[in-house]
Amino acid sequence: MSPAFLAVVAVILCILFRLLNVNSQPQIPQMFCRDGQFMECFNKIAPMLREPYIPTRLWGFSGHIQTIIHSIIGRVKCPWPLGERVYLALTDGSTLTYDLYQPLINGVEDDITVAICPGIGNSSESVYIRTFVHYAQCHGYRCAVLNHIGVLDSVQVTSGRIFTYGHTDDYSAMINHLLKKYPTTNIVSVGFSLGGNLISKYLGEAPRPKNIIGGVSICQGYNAVVATQWLLKWQNFHRFYLYVLTENVKSIILKHRHVLLADDIKQRYQLNERDISAAATLPELDEAYTRRVHNFKTLKDLYSWSSSLNYLANIKRPMVFVNARDDPLVPDTLLNPIREFTNSHNQSLYIELANGGHLGFYEGGLIYPNPVTWLDRALVSLIGGIVMSHNDLLVAKGSLTTTVI
C-alpha cells in the first residue's frame, strides 16, 4: 500500500473516532435536586442512578448515532404488547384514540396507571413506546398511550386540526376518560420529547385531578422560542434534524389534506396549500399552517404558549426531568433553566446524562446493544420512586392526623 493511501485511511479513521467519541468513558448521571427527602426515594429504589451509564461501546458515545439509530431502527427485539384501542369523540369534532394495556403480573399492591404522551409524530405503534410499555407491564403497571391526532393511518382525521406542540386538551381528555374507567387508580404522567413538554405544560396549566401523583419528562427542550432559533442554525447538524421534523409534520398534514385542507377549512383559516407544501422549516410550516389553525397572531405567541418552561412554577406534583448533554435536538443552553428550576423547587429532580442522544440511551455490548435500554430501566425505577414518595407522604399525613386526634 502506498503512503498516500495509508494517510487517507488514517485520516478517515481519525474522523470516525472523533465522530463516534470512542475514547470517552462512561459517566455517572448528574443530579439536580434540593429536596433531600424526595431524592432519598430514588436513592432507595433506583441505585442505577448512582452508577455510570455505559453506552454501546463502538457508537453509543455519539449523540448523533444514538439519535439516528433510535429514529430509524428503534429498539432491538421489540415486543408488540397487546392492548385495546379506545376511541373518544371530542367536542371540536376530533376523533381521539389511546391504547390501553393491562399489567402482566398480579399481586402488585398499588394500582398505578402510566399515562404516556409520545414524541412528535409518534403513537402507541412507535417502537420505543412499545418496548417501554411492555417493560412497564412486566413490572405491574397499567399503561395508556395517547395517539397524536393525525399520526395513525388507521384513524381518520375528523376535524380541521391535528396535534401541536402545546395543545394539551387531547392528553387531558385521555386522563379524564381513564379516571372514569379506573376512579381509584393513581396516575404517573410520562412524556417523551414533545410529549415531555405537553405533560409538563398540562400539569402546570391548571389544577389537575388529585389521582395524578407525579410526572416524568424525557428529552424535552422546555423553551420552543429559543429551541427553534437554535435548530435554524447549521451548527452540529441542527438544521438537518429540523428538516426531518418538518417533513414528518408536513407529511401528516398532507396525508389528511382532504380534511385539513378542504376548501372551507382553507377559507376559514386563510391557508395556502402551496405555502404548506413548500415549507422547508418548522417555522415556515407553522406560519403557513399551525399558527393560523390555532388562532395565534405571531409565531412567537404560538411558541411561547407552547413552552412548558412558562408553566413549570405552577406544577403542584412531583416531577422528574431527564436529558442528555449530547442530544443534537436539545442544545445545552436549553438545559440551564431546568437545572435552576430543580435546584430551587421541592419535589423536583433533574437527571442529566453525558450521553444518550435524543431518546436513544442504548446500553451494553460492543456493536449490538441490550434489548432493554438504560432509559427503559430508569423510567420504571423513576415511576417507582414517585410512587414511593407519594406513599411516604400519605403515611406522614396519616401520622400527623393520628397525632392531632
Side-chain angles (χ1 to χ4, degrees):
M1 295 184 184
S2 67
F5 176 78
L6 292 176
V8 170
V9 171
V11 170
I12 292 174
L13 288 175
C14 287
I15 293 173
L16 283 175
F17 272 70
R18 177 83 174 180
L19 177 65
L20 298 175
N21 295 322
V22 293
N23 290 326
S24 300
Q25 296 300 317
Q27 297 183 34
I28 298 173
Q30 285 187 273
M31 306 288 184
F32 299 80
C33 181
R34 84 167 190 174
D35 189 336
Q37 188 173 358
F38 186 58
M39 186 70 229
E40 185 58 26
C41 292
F42 299 98
N43 287 334
K44 291 178 181 177
I45 207 166
M48 63 178 294
L49 298 179
R50 302 191 302 275
E51 300 169 353
Y53 158 54
I54 305 176
T56 305
R57 181 70 254 181
L58 185 61
W59 48 264
F61 289 92
S62 168
H64 291 292
I65 303 299
Q66 287 241 27
T67 302
I68 291 169
I69 288 180
H70 165 264
S71 63
I72 296 176
I73 299 175
R75 302 293 191 240
V76 297
K77 296 182 180 178
C78 179
W80 195 292
L82 298 177
E84 62 172 306
R85 180 153 295 167
V86 180
Y87 289 76
L88 304 177
L90 305 185
T91 56
D92 68 352
S94 300
T95 299
L96 180 69
T97 68
Y98 72 89
D99 284 21
L100 185 62
Y101 306 88
Q102 300 300 334
L104 295 178
I105 62 173
N106 298 319
V108 178
E109 183 177 350
D110 298 298
D111 179 5
I112 304 297
T113 301
V114 183
I116 301 166
C117 191
I120 189 169
N122 293 161
S123 68
S124 61
E125 297 180 0
S126 300
V127 173
Y128 72 98
I129 297 294
R130 285 161 40 199
T131 305
F132 170 63
V133 165
H134 182 262
Y135 195 63
Q137 285 179 288
C138 291
H139 285 78
Y141 297 123
R142 179 188 301 111
C143 294
V145 183
L146 181 73
N147 296 313
H148 291 300
I149 291 177
V151 172
L152 292 175
D153 292 335
S154 58
V155 179
Q156 292 296 314
V157 170
T158 57
S159 70
R161 71 167 180 91
I162 57 171
F163 70 94
T164 191
Y165 324 117
H167 187 81
T168 61
D169 289 354
D170 296 343
Y171 187 77
S172 179
M174 180 180 77
I175 296 291
N176 293 337
H177 193 262
L178 281 171
L179 291 177
K180 289 180 180 179
K181 289 175 70 71
Y182 309 103
T184 62
T185 191
N186 284 325
I187 294 175
V188 177
S189 294
V190 172
F192 297 86
S193 191
L194 162 75
N197 179 78
L198 282 173
I199 66 116
S200 301
K201 182 174 185 281
Y202 165 79
L203 291 173
E205 280 178 326
R208 297 304 183 184
K210 64 180 182 180
N211 301 61
I212 301 177
I213 62 172
V216 185
S217 162
I218 307 103
C219 291
Q220 68 152 306
Y222 306 99
N223 188 335
V225 177
V226 177
T228 305
Q229 295 170 353
W230 272 92
L231 288 173
L232 285 170
K233 300 179 180 180
W234 290 101
Q235 178 185 350
N236 202 30
F237 303 103
H238 291 323
R239 194 66 176 260
F240 166 74
Y241 293 104
L242 182 63
Y243 170 79
V244 173
L245 292 174
T246 305
E247 291 302 306
N248 190 359
V249 178
K250 189 195 302 184
S251 68
I252 293 172
I253 296 172
L254 296 179
K255 178 174 63 177
H256 300 286
R257 57 157 57 90
H258 63 287
V259 176
L260 300 176
L261 300 177
D263 290 341
D264 61 323
I265 299 293
K266 287 194 289 188
Q267 185 175 0
R268 184 190 311 169
Y269 298 116
Q270 297 183 325
L271 302 177
N272 186 314
E273 187 170 346
R274 182 178 299 176
D275 291 342
I276 294 170
S277 299
T281 66
L282 275 181
E284 291 178 8
L285 184 59
D286 290 334
E287 173 60 37
Y289 178 77
T290 314
R291 175 188 71 79
R292 299 168 186 271
V293 171
H294 291 277
N295 296 311
F296 285 92
K297 290 185 178 180
T298 67
L299 275 183
K300 187 175 181 180
D301 290 340
L302 168 65
Y303 291 155
S304 180
W305 170 80
S306 300
S307 300
S308 70
L309 180 64
N310 298 324
Y311 304 85
L312 294 182
N314 297 323
I315 296 177
K316 306 301 181 184
R317 302 291 191 276
M319 287 293 300
V320 180
F321 305 90
V322 181
N323 286 93
R325 287 197 298 275
D326 67 352
D327 185 337
L329 274 72
V330 184
D332 188 73
T333 187
L334 294 176
L335 304 180
N336 287 326
I338 197 61
R339 294 176 186 130
E340 296 171 0
F341 174 81
T342 49
N343 276 332
S344 59
H345 288 76
N346 289 331
Q347 290 198 300
S348 62
L349 166 65
Y350 171 51
I351 303 169
E352 184 176 288
L353 288 86
N355 306 106
H358 191 75
L359 299 179
F361 299 98
Y362 296 94
E363 69 176 342
L366 175 63
I367 300 176
Y368 200 74
N370 299 338
V372 176
T373 68
W374 180 93
L375 182 59
D376 296 324
R377 296 193 302 119
L379 261 178
V380 166
S381 295
L382 293 173
I383 292 167
I386 288 175
V387 172
M388 178 181 288
S389 174
H390 173 72
N391 290 341
D392 287 350
L393 186 61
L394 290 180
V395 170
K397 287 182 177 180
S399 299
L400 180 62
T401 303
T402 302
T403 302
V404 172
I405 291 174

